[in-house]
Amino acid sequence: MSCSELSDYVFYLRDRGLARRTIKEYRKIVQYLLEYLEVGDGSLSQVTTAQIQEYIAYLQEKGLVRNTIAGHLQVSSRFFAFLLEKGSIEKDPQTPNTPNTPNTPNT
């Protein structure tokens, strides 16, 4: 699967000066998530919290240990944060009920 958002993310990681090995691992984890979700360009905004929960269950069924799953979620959270900042999605599907804009008190 080719996803321009993933390519953009890899360029972003390179610009931030991350090590080549780290970038390779992040790319692999995000690619794995995207393949599981069967999403491509333009459909990342349709990913739901329920799908992320199903992905976590899938990783558990595959026999991944808790720390490995936590690593996958940390990487995917950073990917979704990148997409939020870029304006490609309106909310992070890993964080239920969290809009893109910060909460402001009513005055």
Side-chain angles (χ1 to χ4, degrees), residues 32 55-69 72:
Y32 194 71
Y55 177 65
I56 293 167
Y58 171 75
L59 295 176
Q60 291 169 336
E61 290 171 12
K62 296 283 287 178
L64 274 67
V65 296
R66 185 182 306 202
N67 287 344
T68 302
I69 293 171
H72 277 247

Side-chain angles (χ1 to χ4, degrees), residues 27-74:
R27 185 184 191 291
K28 181 178 83 171
I29 289 170
V30 172
Q31 183 76 35
Y32 194 71
L33 170 66
L34 296 177
E35 287 174 1
Y36 173 82
L37 295 172
E38 297 179 348
V39 297
D41 291 334
S43 60
L44 285 166
S45 63
Q46 304 300 314
V47 175
T48 65
T49 301
Q51 287 175 295
I52 298 299
Q53 292 169 341
E54 291 167 7
Y55 177 65
I56 293 167
Y58 171 75
L59 295 176
Q60 291 169 336
E61 290 171 12
K62 296 283 287 178
L64 274 67
V65 296
R66 185 182 306 202
N67 287 344
T68 302
I69 293 171
H72 277 247
L73 293 175
Q74 184 178 43

Side-chain angles (χ1 to χ4, degrees), residues 64-105:
L64 274 67
V65 296
R66 185 182 306 202
N67 287 344
T68 302
I69 293 171
H72 277 247
L73 293 175
Q74 184 178 43
V75 169
S76 60
S77 179
R78 290 177 180 158
F79 177 64
F80 287 122
F82 166 77
L83 296 176
L84 272 172
E85 187 174 314
K86 186 178 168 191
S88 297
I89 61 174
E90 293 182 16
K91 78 176 224 55
D92 179 349
Q94 285 187 221
T95 310
N97 304 320
T98 303
N100 189 12
T101 56
N103 292 332
T104 55

